[in-house]
Amino acid sequence: MTERTTYLLVDGENIDATLGISVLGRRPQPEERPRWNKLLHHAEVSWAQPVKGLFFLAVGDSLPSGFVQALIALGYKTVPLRGEGKVVDIAIQRTAEALQSREADVMLVSHDKDFVPQMTELAATPDRRTALVGFREFMAADLQEIPGIEFHDLEYDVAAFTSKLPRVRIIDIDDFDPLEFI
């Protein structure tokens, strides 16, 4: 019997765009971007099993070699894509559909509602764990409403950032710390 695996499907463009447009209001500086190694570690520790990180990115005619090599060194399998349309979304959708036939768990790192059908099907599979990773306040409502899906906040649960982000989010009263505001 093989050991169960978590597949971590990273929509890098979506995370970068959400961070830049919705959280920071500008293009993120390198030091403000997620520490992708912390995401792999979080997935492995959270579900106590090996993780296969697939990092999807759209490219033109040239490969961003430095970034790709850094991701590979961290343990990701990079999936550089080009073509017409939303190539990253298409590739993640196809990967999620292919995972339906495997006994594996899936974490999707994206806020995009385009993955609702695939994540709904994966989450409906008995004994399969599924999760969304990102910023809850920017997560597509349709994704959040999938029965049985977990949520991991990229900043608070994963601790993927080296400094606090300027986020405005809903806080459960049990988690409220007035010292964060005074």
Side-chain angles (χ1 to χ4, degrees), residues 5 7 28 42 52 63-64 70 76 86 88 121 138 162 171-172:
T5 300
Y7 283 86
H42 174 81
K52 187 172 217 172
L63 193 64
Y76 283 92
K86 297 168 78 174
V88 167
E121 189 172 335
F138 302 114
T162 56
I171 304 166
D172 288 328

Side-chain angles (χ1 to χ4, degrees), residues 148-169:
I149 203 158
E150 295 178 27
F151 182 80
H152 300 251
D153 188 278
L154 196 54
E155 181 179 14
Y156 300 112
D157 299 323
V158 178
F161 297 91
T162 56
S163 60
K164 187 168 175 47
L165 296 175
R167 292 169 66 189
V168 176
R169 64 182 180 94

Side-chain angles (χ1 to χ4, degrees), residues 68-85:
V68 168
Q69 289 302 319
L71 288 171
I72 291 169
L74 293 173
Y76 283 92
K77 187 171 276 193
T78 58
V79 186
L81 302 153
R82 70 174 174 195
E84 295 298 316

